[in-house]
C-alpha cells in the first residue's frame, strides 16, 4: 500500500509539472507574436497585409547602403549572377571562363557537371590551376587552386548573393605536399555584409507620406568569411626550412 501511494504521488507530481511546462510554452508562444508582414508568402517587393504596407529593400538600395559603409567590393561581391559573370579569376586576374564550369557538392565532396546554374548554397568552380603550372608571373604553383563563385544560402537572406573566391582545389585527396613536408592551407579574409533579421521596422517618413503604416525589412551587418587564396606552409622540420 505504501509503494502504491508513493507511485501515485510521483505520477501526480509529474503530471502537474508537465501541465505547468505546457502552460509556460503556451504563454511564450502567445507573447512572441508573428509580425503581419511575415504571415504572407509572396515574392512581391511591396504588398499589403490588412491596413499596413510591407516594403522589401531593392538590391540597388542595399548596394548603396553597403557602399556608404565602404564594404561593397565589385572584386569579390555581386548582387546578381549576371554581375557575377564579370568576376575575375583571383589567381590569374582574367575574367572567369564559365564554359567548362562545374558544381562542387560540399556534402558529398564530389563534382557535379552543370553549365552555369548555381542553386543557393552551392559553389560553381570555373577553372582549376594544377600544381606545377605556370603563374602569371612565370613561376610554378606549389598548391593547386580553383577560381569559384559561391551563392549565398536561402536562409538567412543575405546580400550580396554572389561571392568571388579562390579555393584550394577541393579534389585534392590530401593537402600534404610530400618531399618538402608542407601543406596547402586555405586562407580567408572577412567582409561586412548584410543579412535580413526576419523583423520589420516602421518607416515613419514613408508612413507619413502614404497616410498609413509602412514597414520595411530590418537588415543587419554580419561578418562573411571569404576564401581568398591557397598558401603553402612548411613544417618546422621541413628540409626546405633551412633555405628560408
Amino acid at each position: 500500500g505504501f509503494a502504491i501511494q508513493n507511485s501515485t504521488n510521483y505520477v501526480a507530481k509529474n503530471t502537474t509539472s508537465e501541465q505547468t511546462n505546457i502552460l509556460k510554452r503556451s504563454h511564450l508562444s502567445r507573447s512572441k507574436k508573428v509580425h503581419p508582414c511575415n504571415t504572407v508568402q509572396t515574392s512581391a517587393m511591396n504588398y499589403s497585409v490588412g491596413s499596413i504596407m510591407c516594403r522589401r529593400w531593392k538590391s540597388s538600395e542595399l548596394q548603396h547602403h553597403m557602399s556608404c559603409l565602404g564594404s561593397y567590393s565589385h572584386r569579390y561581391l555581386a548582387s546578381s549572377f549576371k554581375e557575377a559573370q564579370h568576376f575575375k579569376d583571383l589567381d590569374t586576374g582574367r575574367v572567369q571562363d564559365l564554359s567548362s564550369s562545374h558544381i562542387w557538392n560540399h556534402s558529398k565532396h564530389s563534382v557535379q557537371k552543370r553549365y552555369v546554374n548555381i542553386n543557393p548554397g552551392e559553389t560553381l568552380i570555373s577553372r582549376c590551376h594544377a600544381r606545377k603550372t605556370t603563374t602569371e608571373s612565370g613561376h610554378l604553383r606549389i598548391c593547386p587552386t580553383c577560381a569559384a563563385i559561391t551563392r549565398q544560402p536561402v536562409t538567412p537572406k543575405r546580400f550580396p548573393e554572389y561571392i568571388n573566391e579562390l579555393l584550394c582545389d577541393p579534389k585534392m585527396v590530401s593537402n600534404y605536399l610530400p618531399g618538402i613536408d608542407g601543406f596547402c592551407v586555405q586562407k580567408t579574409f572577412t567582409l561586412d555584409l548584410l543579412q535580413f533579421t526576419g523583423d520589420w521596422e516602421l518607416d515613419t517618413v514613408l508612413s507619413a507620406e502614404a497616410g498609413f503604416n509602412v514597414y520595411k525589412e530590418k537588415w543587419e551587418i554580419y561578418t562573411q568569411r571569404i576564401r581568398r587564396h591557397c598558401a603553402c606552409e612548411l613544417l618546422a622540420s621541413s628540409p626546405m626550412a633551412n633555405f628560408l
Side-chain angles (χ1 to χ4, degrees):
F2 179 74
I4 292 174
Q5 182 63 41
N6 282 344
S7 176
T8 302
N9 291 338
Y10 175 78
V11 172
K13 287 180 180 179
N14 277 348
T15 301
T16 303
S17 177
E18 180 61 25
Q19 288 174 344
T20 302
N21 289 335
I22 291 173
L23 289 173
K24 286 181 179 179
R25 289 196 296 269
S26 176
H27 174 72
L28 287 174
S29 63
R30 287 197 303 268
S31 61
K32 191 176 181 180
K33 294 181 179 179
V34 177
H35 194 278
C37 292
N38 288 330
T39 61
V40 177
Q41 297 293 327
T42 178
S43 58
M45 298 301 293
N46 300 295
Y47 57 95
S48 298
V49 180
S51 59
I52 69 171
M53 171 69 73
C54 306
R55 186 179 184 277
R56 292 193 169 101
W57 284 67
K58 297 178 182 178
S59 293
S60 58
E61 293 174 320
L62 293 170
Q63 184 172 330
H64 176 72
H65 181 61
M66 284 191 61
S67 297
C68 292
L69 296 174
S71 58
Y72 194 93
S73 170
H74 290 281
R75 182 180 179 86
Y76 300 105
L77 307 171
S79 58
S80 66
F81 185 65
K82 182 178 180 180
E83 185 182 346
Q85 289 176 305
H86 297 287
F87 277 152
K88 290 184 178 180
D89 185 327
L90 296 175
D91 188 317
T92 66
R94 301 174 184 174
V95 176
Q96 296 190 30
D97 180 7
L98 304 181
S99 59
S100 58
S101 58
H102 57 273
I103 296 294
W104 172 251
N105 189 308
H106 297 276
S107 59
K108 297 181 180 179
H109 296 280
S110 62
V111 170
Q112 296 177 340
K113 292 184 178 180
R114 193 191 308 157
Y115 177 67
V116 189
N117 179 20
I118 316 178
N119 293 325
E122 290 184 334
T123 295
L124 179 75
I125 295 178
S126 62
R127 184 183 178 186
C128 291
H129 310 287
R131 185 185 177 191
K132 295 183 181 179
T133 54
T134 307
T135 64
E136 296 299 302
S137 57
H139 302 139
L140 297 179
R141 290 183 178 85
I142 297 176
C143 292
T145 62
C146 292
I149 301 173
T150 296
R151 186 177 179 183
Q152 298 271 37
V154 175
T155 53
K157 186 166 66 173
R158 292 173 171 176
F159 182 87
E161 194 172 354
Y162 296 88
I163 301 174
N164 189 18
E165 298 189 293
L166 186 67
L167 320 181
C168 289
D169 190 341
K171 296 191 297 296
M172 283 191 297
V173 177
S174 172
N175 64 346
Y176 176 68
L177 300 172
I180 64 172
D181 279 342
F183 290 88
C184 291
V185 181
Q186 182 69 63
K187 296 297 182 178
T188 64
F189 75 105
T190 60
L191 279 177
D192 287 338
L193 307 187
L194 298 173
Q195 70 179 9
F196 176 45
T197 64
D199 295 329
W200 299 73
E201 55 188 353
L202 181 67
D203 190 312
T204 55
V205 174
L206 290 178
S207 298
E209 293 175 354
F212 50 83
N213 288 341
V214 178
Y215 286 86
K216 293 179 68 175
E217 291 177 319
K218 189 175 182 179
W219 290 72
E220 65 181 3
I221 297 173
Y222 81 99
T223 301
Q224 173 70 44
R225 190 174 297 278
I226 297 176
R227 294 169 287 188
R228 176 59 182 85
H229 69 284
C230 187
C232 173
E233 295 184 357
L234 301 176
L235 293 173
S237 57
S238 168
M240 300 296 295
N242 296 324
F243 300 98
L244 298 178

